[in-house]
Amino acid sequence: MIKSQNKELVVGLDIGTTKVASLIGEILPNKEINIIGLGNYPSKGINIGNINNLKSIIKCIKKSIRQAEEMSKKKIYSINLSFSNKYINYINEKGMVKIKKGEVQKYDIKKVLNIAKSVKINNEYHILHVIPQEYMVDNNKGIKNPLGLSGIRMKSNVHLITSNYNIEKNIIKAVEKCKLTINKIIFSGLASSKAILTNEEKKLGVCMIDMGGGTMDILIYIDGSLQYTKVIPYSGNSITQDISYAFSSSISDAEKLKIKYGCASKFLQENINNIKVTTSNSNETQILNQEKLTKVIELRCIELFELINNKILNLQKKFKKKGYKYHINSGIVLTGGVSKTKFLINCAEKIFQLPVRIGYTKNITGLINHVKMPEYSTVIGLLHYHKKKKINNFLNKKNTWLYKLKNLFL
């Protein structure tokens, strides 16, 4: 967070497989965020969250930040950073404490959350986020905020999001090489859900699928609580590779085909014609079959949605067996760049047999025409974390990577 002429500014930085996006927003009194600066630069040196060329990704970050600074006429010193890769996972855990003074105090809540997150995990992993699902005071269940309630014992159910240390260290290193301070690191799927989901949708049950270039971030909310988090390392680039293989084209030409002519349902597509394209390598003109292109895209989308649907059904089966609520009455919310594919909603509805909508960001003003698109859900979500406090992890060695990492997460 930075201040400029008595206005608080917040900056989000989303380093993805296909683009590095940066946003500058002014925090308005009505809690809306006024977007005043945007940077968008193609990514190089990173793939599905893993840096493979540090020098290249540093250059991309600098370019994106500079674009946002020039548009807003502000200087960026610190950012909220999104983070996602295939090693992101979750654990649902419980904690229990005795209420010391017969009435729940802040330290009781802090203690019960610390107990819940004390679960043993792999040494290479750590906890990014501790997200309370519900509290129970004695026999009273479903409590969202137990502060001030009377009782003897308090229990908590929490959703822990975990990830790999070394991958995060490399992302942090790249950002710090750009002379930027990281305020918070937020799982990108969590940031997207913050930007596009409503509390009512979460209460009724909803599955959000953020379809980016390299990964799909999946979050499932049931009865208002986050119950499932997963990152699948296949998404838009998988579709592009399929097109490249089917038409013996370069990846860049396949990407252009996908964006310009992409469609996820051959039954709904009208005016199917042959496509005349010019290859980028040889400048030769080729005639491609549009129906074949649609079939390639549709088959991959069906495969991806069936993979997610199986995970939803398995979770619901597990919850039903335990007697928990398991319905997803709000259906599926798609976001990310891939969600703009023509007739993707229809393809998804056929697989999930649930209502499907495209998620667009809320509570923003300013450069809406530039950023109110699904591919900016994550970076806009980062701006909504300006008031959240960091969790104190009670580490003594402040110069260790462990300390630096843990004090960045929510």
Side-chain angles (χ1 to χ4, degrees):
M1 179 110 40
I2 52 179
K3 289 191 176 182
S4 176
Q5 297 178 347
N6 298 321
K7 292 181 180 179
E8 287 186 324
L9 303 180
V10 60
V11 182
L13 179 64
D14 176 28
I15 306 172
T17 299
T18 58
K19 72 179 187 305
V20 178
S22 52
L23 277 185
I24 304 177
E26 294 177 335
I27 303 166
L28 303 179
N30 63 357
K31 297 183 180 180
E32 284 191 342
I33 295 176
N34 181 41
I35 307 299
I36 61 172
L38 165 66
N40 186 340
Y41 196 82
S43 290
K44 291 181 181 179
I46 189 168
N47 185 41
I48 58 175
N50 297 317
I51 293 178
N52 50 49
N53 188 319
L54 186 61
K55 186 176 180 181
S56 293
I57 196 60
I58 289 172
K59 180 180 177 182
C60 296
I61 295 169
K62 288 181 177 179
K63 292 277 189 180
S64 179
I65 290 292
R66 190 173 298 121
Q67 288 175 354
E69 288 178 331
E70 289 174 354
M71 183 179 286
S72 64
K73 296 182 173 56
K74 307 292 182 185
K75 179 67 177 173
I76 296 175
Y77 299 99
S78 61
I79 53 97
N80 288 343
L81 176 68
S82 68
F83 179 76
S84 180
N85 64 73
K86 65 180 180 180
Y87 299 104
I88 296 287
N89 217 322
Y90 80 98
I91 311 168
N92 288 327
E93 279 294 331
K94 300 178 184 292
M96 184 175 73
V97 294
K98 184 178 179 181
I99 301 171
K100 280 189 175 181
K101 296 182 178 180
E103 184 178 287
V104 178
Q105 307 292 324
K106 287 183 179 180
Y107 58 77
D108 294 311
I109 298 173
K110 197 174 191 179
K111 185 176 180 180
V112 78
L113 293 178
N114 281 333
I115 290 172
K117 72 176 183 177
S118 63
V119 59
K120 186 176 180 180
I121 58 177
N122 190 301
N123 289 335
E124 295 180 358
Y125 288 73
H126 80 124
I127 297 170
L128 273 74
H129 301 292
V130 180
I131 303 169
Q133 295 168 322
E134 69 167 347
Y135 297 91
M136 290 151 280
V137 177
D138 295 337
N139 295 322
N140 296 321
K141 299 181 179 180
I143 300 169
K144 295 301 180 183
N145 182 5
L147 188 64
L149 297 181
S150 298
I152 299 171
R153 286 184 177 83
M154 177 171 62
K155 298 179 183 178
S156 66
N157 291 338
V158 301
H159 186 82
L160 308 176
I161 300 179
T162 64
S163 187
N164 183 287
Y165 273 124
N166 292 322
I167 295 174
E168 290 160 30
K169 285 167 62 176
N170 289 329
I171 293 285
I172 291 171
K173 185 183 297 183
V175 173
E176 291 182 340
K177 289 281 185 180
C178 299
K179 297 182 180 179
L180 296 169
T181 299
I182 302 172
N183 295 324
K184 301 178 180 74
I185 296 181
I186 298 139
F187 167 49
S188 60
L190 204 58
S192 295
S193 71
K194 184 82 170 175
I196 67 173
L197 296 182
T198 66
N199 289 333
E200 184 179 1
E201 284 177 322
K202 293 176 183 179
K203 181 67 178 176
L204 291 172
V206 65
C207 174
M208 186 208 74
I209 307 171
D210 188 344
M211 305 180 73
T215 62
M216 292 189 299
D217 296 340
I218 304 164
L219 278 77
I220 298 177
Y221 289 85
I222 296 176
D223 195 29
S225 299
L226 182 57
Q227 297 288 349
Y228 182 90
T229 300
K230 187 71 177 177
V231 176
I232 295 177
Y234 308 103
S235 195
N237 283 358
S238 300
I239 299 172
T240 303
Q241 289 165 6
D242 289 348
I243 296 170
S244 174
Y245 178 80
F247 293 100
S248 300
S249 66
S250 67
I251 292 294
S252 61
D253 286 341
E255 181 70 14
K256 291 174 185 176
L257 278 171
K258 182 183 74 174
I259 293 172
K260 189 171 183 178
Y261 301 104
C263 177
S265 176
K266 63 182 179 181
F267 296 107
L268 295 173
Q269 188 175 24
E270 299 176 353
N271 302 321
I272 296 177
N273 301 306
N274 288 331
I275 306 168
K276 185 183 289 188
V277 296
T278 303
T279 61
S280 57
N281 294 331
S282 60
N283 286 326
E284 294 180 354
T285 300
Q286 291 183 339
I287 305 298
L288 304 180
N289 187 298
Q290 190 172 9
E291 186 175 2
K292 181 180 177 181
L293 174 64
T294 299
K295 185 178 180 181
V296 169
I297 295 172
E298 184 179 17
L299 286 175
R300 175 59 80 169
C301 290
I302 288 172
E303 181 185 21
L304 294 174
F305 288 148
E306 285 180 340
L307 179 64
I308 297 169
N309 193 46
N310 287 335
K311 294 183 181 300
I312 293 173
L313 294 175
N314 287 336
L315 181 70
Q316 289 181 313
K317 184 178 178 181
K318 178 182 173 182
F319 275 35
K320 186 177 180 180
K321 188 175 180 180
K322 291 184 177 181
Y324 299 162
K325 293 182 180 180
Y326 62 91
H327 294 293
I328 301 178
N329 293 325
S330 288
I332 310 295
V333 178
L334 303 176
T335 194
V338 179
S339 69
K340 296 193 299 182
T341 304
K342 192 175 181 180
F343 297 133
L344 188 67
I345 287 179
N346 306 85
C347 179
E349 286 177 337
K350 184 170 64 174
I351 302 302
F352 293 111
Q353 295 295 300
L354 289 167
V356 179
R357 75 170 179 92
I358 303 298
Y360 294 94
T361 54
K362 55 189 185 331
N363 299 326
I364 61 167
T365 61
L367 303 173
I368 293 179
N369 292 335
H370 291 80
V371 301
K372 205 163 187 178
M373 294 182 285
E375 58 263 44
Y376 292 111
S377 294
T378 296
V379 71
I380 289 175
L382 292 173
L383 304 185
H384 288 286
Y385 281 86
H386 58 276
K387 290 185 178 179
K388 297 289 183 180
K389 296 181 180 179
K390 302 174 190 175
I391 289 176
N392 183 355
N393 288 277
F394 305 106
L395 296 180
N396 295 321
K397 297 182 178 180
K398 296 188 178 183
N399 60 337
T400 64
W401 266 106
L402 186 65
Y403 178 87
K404 290 179 180 179
L405 280 171
K406 285 198 171 184
N407 277 277
L408 294 174
F409 304 122
L410 297 176

